[in-house]
Amino acid sequence: MVDTHQSQNGTGIRWPTLLIGALAFLAGTGLLYFGGGVTFLVPGYPGEPFLSRDRVLVGIFPLFAGVAVLSLAGWLFRRSLPAPLAKEARSPVTMSVYCVAAALGLIWLAFVVAAMIVRR
């Protein structure tokens, strides 16, 4: 029986799924940075309620959409691996995705701390 997901070089990586996962990862990080920046770093006018309509639509919605798209990207990365490698919790691809996501989270946290220091 022929494996339809087997690539030309025999690695078994599903390249279209991997590329869609990479695009979803880029879109998710962009949404996360934009939503987080608008929600936490863009000041409103004095007395403006935090959950105003504009802040929710422009900030909080992209923030949660970014988290959802990043979850989709992780699922797609996992689906792009060949079956034996996908079952391993510590596969190189899975660990690299987690490390990149952790690094992006730390960079974003550094931006938030820097913005708080500048405001003082």
Side-chain angles (χ1 to χ4, degrees):
M1 180 169 223
V2 177
D3 185 7
T4 57
H5 297 295
Q6 194 77 356
S7 65
Q8 293 291 337
N9 59 4
T11 60
I13 294 175
R14 298 175 182 117
W15 291 105
T17 307
L18 184 66
L19 292 175
I20 293 170
L23 291 175
F25 184 79
L26 290 174
T29 54
L31 283 169
L32 189 66
Y33 280 125
F34 178 77
V38 169
T39 302
F40 298 114
L41 302 177
V42 175
Y45 58 86
E48 175 188 11
F50 182 73
L51 291 177
S52 66
R53 181 177 181 262
D54 294 335
R55 188 173 293 248
V56 169
L57 289 178
V58 178
I60 294 176
F61 180 72
L63 183 69
F64 287 122
V67 171
V69 172
L70 283 175
S71 299
L72 173 69
W75 181 76
L76 286 170
F77 281 140
R78 189 74 152 185
R79 298 263 311 162
S80 68
L81 297 174
L85 191 57
K87 291 181 182 177
E88 294 179 21
R90 295 183 183 210
S91 68
V93 175
T94 305
M95 293 305 288
S96 64
V97 168
Y98 291 146
C99 289
V100 168
L104 288 173
L106 290 174
I107 290 170
W108 187 83
L109 185 62
F111 284 147
V112 170
V113 170
M116 288 179 174
I117 290 172
V118 170
R119 281 189 192 175
R120 290 184 183 179

